């Protein structure tokens, strides 16, 4: 039998980058002879958004933390600790039954539980955001204090694991030089045979419609650009809690004819192939899959230089542009520069494709396999 690995995550039904990375990783590992299980808390019988190999075994613990979303701070806190107790009991029972070689927490609700379970497995924690993501939520009052407390707690949790994996060298530096920390970036989801011609007058953005992704900034930027390029369109692929707010903003700005909120699609590479520029206005990231995917499809990239990830993918002036966080004026200037110069788009797109080799699945997954072998030996 191969090495048995258990991944823990809230759910696989979302179309987010973390879910995409997990699907890619799990599919790769089962083809290499590993036994792979995925344990969720909030699946509620929903199918995974991304295709998964039939050999992957799925378990849902039926905890459902998302049921607490609409509650106030006190109700959410009480409910959360109750669910954590149930979560620990069910996860402990399952892991002691599965007897995995390695259990991996994806820094979801199980992060403070997995390291406590004595099932004989090695424990790995991997994070798909930056060290200070909780401080970038933009919340105020008691919520702000809670975010600060959780931010300090994250560091203590990370110290409890056998190995802690982050996505970028930039983020590694924020974790106080932990001795067991390792950098392994996300891998490309695909590498299409043909790249975009970058000739379509279409700008694309991909991500959850949430505060994190900063699409409110993007719409303001786009509204300032459209008078100069009225025959271009912006398509944003994603779903989330801010959909109505963003649609209202589109209507208020009067840009509805050229701006579309699109549902997530299974074959996003086809949409990149029909686009000319990828834009990203996130307030924080880990290592954005949208940038990696668009790069593999030969698109020039334009993004805020937020923590963390864009600096690891975009070489400013080569395969795209990095913009200071929140600088909507400069973002508009650079996007218009690209929109007005197809030769620049082609040159940057070609460089994107070349640089995408740094994130090939073979290269990245070999790092994971080496980690698995080394941690089992230790």
């Amino acid at each position: 039998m191969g090495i048995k690995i258990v991944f823990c995550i809230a759910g696989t039904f979302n179309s987010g980058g973390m879910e995409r990375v997990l699907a890619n990783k799990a599919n790769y590992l089962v083809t290499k002879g590993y036994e792979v299980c995925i344990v969720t808390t909030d699946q509620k019988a929903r199918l995974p958004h991304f295709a998964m190999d039939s050999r992957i075994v799925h378990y849902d613990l039926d905890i459902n933390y998302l049921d607490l979303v609409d509650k106030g701070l006190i109700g959410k806190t009480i409910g959360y600790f109750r669910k954590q107790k149930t979560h620990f009991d069910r996860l402990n029972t399952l892991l002691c039954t599965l007897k995995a070689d390695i259990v991996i927490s994806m820094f979801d609700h199980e992060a403070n539980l997995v390291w406590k379970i004595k099932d004989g497995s090695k424990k790995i924690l991997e994070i798909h955001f930056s060290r200070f993501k909780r401080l970038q939520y933009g919340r105020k009052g008691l919520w702000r204090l809670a975010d600060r407390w959780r931010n300090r707690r994250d560091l203590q949790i990370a110290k409890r694991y056998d190995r802690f994996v982050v996505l970028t060298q930039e983020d590694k530096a924020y974790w106080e030089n932990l001795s067991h920390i390792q950098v392994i970036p996300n891998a490309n989801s695909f590498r299409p045979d043909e790249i975009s011609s970058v000739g379509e007058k279409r700008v694309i953005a991909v991500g959850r419609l949430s505060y994190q992704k900063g699409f409110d900034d993007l719409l303001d930027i786009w509204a300032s650009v459209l008078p100069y390029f009225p025959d271009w369109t912006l398509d944003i692929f994603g779903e989330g809690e801010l959909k109505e707010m963003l649609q209202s903003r589109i209507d208020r700005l009067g840009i509805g004819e050229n701006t579309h909120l699109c549902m997530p699609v299974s074959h996003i590479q086809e949409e990149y192939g029909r686009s000319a520029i990828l834009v990203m206005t996130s307030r924080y990231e880990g290592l954005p899959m949208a940038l990696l995917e668009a790069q593999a499809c030969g698109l020039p990239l334009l993004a805020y230089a937020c923590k963390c990830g864009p600096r690891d993918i975009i070489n400013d002036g080569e395969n795209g542009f990095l913009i200071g966080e929140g600088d909507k004026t400069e973002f508009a200037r650079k996007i218009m520069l690209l929109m007005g110069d197809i030769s620049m788009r082609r040159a940057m797109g070609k460089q994107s494709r070349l640089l995408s080799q740094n994130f090939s699945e073979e290269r990245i997954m070999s790092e994971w396999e080496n980690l698995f072998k080394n941690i089992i030996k230790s």
Side-chain angles (χ1 to χ4, degrees):
M1 300 292 284
I3 295 172
K4 180 182 283 189
I5 299 177
V6 174
F7 290 94
C8 298
I9 190 172
T12 60
F13 55 89
N14 277 325
S15 60
M18 190 162 69
E19 291 80 9
R20 162 77 84 175
V21 170
L22 175 58
N24 294 346
K25 198 181 298 180
N27 287 336
Y28 180 94
L29 290 172
V30 292
T31 64
K32 293 292 185 177
Y34 291 77
E35 291 184 68
V36 178
C37 304
I38 296 175
V39 179
T40 55
T41 58
D42 289 64
Q43 196 69 14
K44 288 190 174 181
R46 288 170 285 196
L47 294 174
H49 181 83
F50 299 105
M52 291 199 182
D53 192 292
S54 60
R55 290 169 288 185
I56 299 168
V57 182
H58 299 259
Y59 300 92
D60 185 65
L61 300 178
D62 194 30
I63 308 299
N64 304 316
Y65 289 97
L66 288 175
D67 291 349
L68 301 174
V69 167
D70 295 328
K71 294 185 179 296
L73 179 59
I74 295 176
K76 186 172 289 187
T77 301
I78 294 171
Y80 184 80
F81 283 109
R82 286 175 176 169
K83 286 183 179 293
Q84 279 271 285
K85 184 181 184 307
T86 303
H87 189 175
F88 177 82
D89 292 341
R90 293 178 184 176
L91 184 61
N92 182 61
T93 299
L94 178 60
L95 292 184
C96 288
T97 300
L98 292 177
K99 296 293 183 185
D101 297 290
I102 298 170
V103 178
I104 301 175
S105 164
M106 299 189 72
F107 225 127
D108 232 315
H109 300 293
E110 77 291 327
N112 192 42
L113 307 177
V114 168
W115 63 269
K116 300 175 183 177
I117 295 175
K118 310 300 182 184
D119 61 329
S121 68
K122 297 291 185 177
K123 306 297 195 303
I124 297 174
L125 180 67
E126 62 172 295
I127 187 167
H128 287 261
F129 295 96
S130 66
R131 167 73 177 94
F132 301 111
K133 75 155 190 170
R134 300 194 193 280
L135 302 184
Q136 294 165 309
Y137 289 160
R139 301 196 290 191
K140 300 183 185 302
L142 290 176
W143 285 114
R144 178 71 172 172
L145 293 174
D147 290 338
R148 287 177 177 173
W149 176 79
R150 294 180 70 193
N151 181 69
R152 292 192 296 270
R153 184 167 171 259
D154 285 345
L155 179 61
Q156 300 309 312
I157 290 172
K159 291 178 179 179
R160 299 286 189 172
Y161 282 76
D162 296 303
R163 197 65 55 87
F164 178 40
V165 178
V166 298
L167 294 172
T168 66
Q169 291 293 338
E170 178 187 0
D171 197 37
K172 178 183 177 182
Y174 298 140
W175 288 93
E176 299 187 6
N177 297 315
L178 295 178
S179 60
H180 66 316
I181 196 168
Q182 183 169 342
V183 178
I184 305 180
N186 291 331
N188 294 327
S189 298
F190 42 73
R191 187 174 172 81
D193 295 330
E194 295 184 8
I195 65 173
S196 171
S197 69
V198 300
E200 296 285 337
K201 294 182 177 182
R202 182 201 202 197
V203 176
I204 187 172
V206 179
R208 184 167 178 77
L209 306 183
S210 64
Y211 172 82
Q212 175 204 349
K213 297 300 181 180
F215 289 136
D216 50 338
D217 269 17
L218 180 57
L219 294 178
D220 292 343
I221 293 164
W222 188 243
S224 71
V225 165
L226 269 181
Y228 303 95
F229 294 89
D231 53 345
W232 280 67
T233 60
L234 168 65
D235 289 338
I236 301 173
F237 286 84
E239 58 184 347
E241 60 273 16
L242 298 187
K243 184 173 183 178
E244 289 186 9
M245 184 274 281
L246 292 172
Q247 186 59 57
S248 295
R249 199 182 196 97
I250 290 170
D251 297 339
R252 188 170 69 254
L253 291 168
I255 56 175
E257 290 187 12
N258 304 73
T259 313
H260 312 110
L261 300 180
C262 309
M263 290 295 292
V265 294
S266 299
H267 300 286
I268 190 63
Q269 62 266 37
E270 296 175 4
E271 302 299 337
Y272 291 126
R274 291 194 288 267
S275 304
I277 304 167
L278 182 282
V279 292
M280 195 192 80
T281 48
S282 295
R283 294 181 166 94
Y284 59 90
E285 284 287 350
L287 189 71
M289 289 304 296
L291 292 184
L292 292 180
E293 292 169 352
Q295 179 173 246
C297 294
L299 290 184
L301 313 172
L302 186 58
Y304 280 158
C306 65
K307 296 181 177 67
C308 293
R311 291 182 182 89
D312 285 59
I313 301 171
I314 299 175
N315 292 344
D316 192 41
E318 292 184 30
N319 62 331
F321 294 112
L322 289 167
I323 309 298
E325 293 179 69
D327 192 342
K328 293 188 277 189
T329 300
E330 181 62 11
F331 204 112
R333 192 177 77 81
K334 286 292 172 56
I335 195 172
M336 286 193 287
L337 183 64
L338 283 169
M339 291 166 74
D341 191 339
I342 192 170
S343 295
M344 179 181 287
R345 297 202 301 273
R346 285 171 177 161
M348 287 189 165
K350 183 177 180 180
Q351 191 67 9
S352 275
R353 176 70 164 191
L354 182 64
L355 290 171
S356 72
Q357 296 173 9
N358 295 330
F359 301 93
S360 69
E361 184 175 56
E362 294 74 18
R363 177 179 294 185
I364 303 305
M365 289 309 299
S366 70
E367 295 187 39
W368 275 105
E369 290 195 85
N370 288 334
L371 168 57
F372 295 154
K373 292 170 185 174
N374 291 335
I375 200 173
I376 288 174
K377 289 179 183 177
S378 64

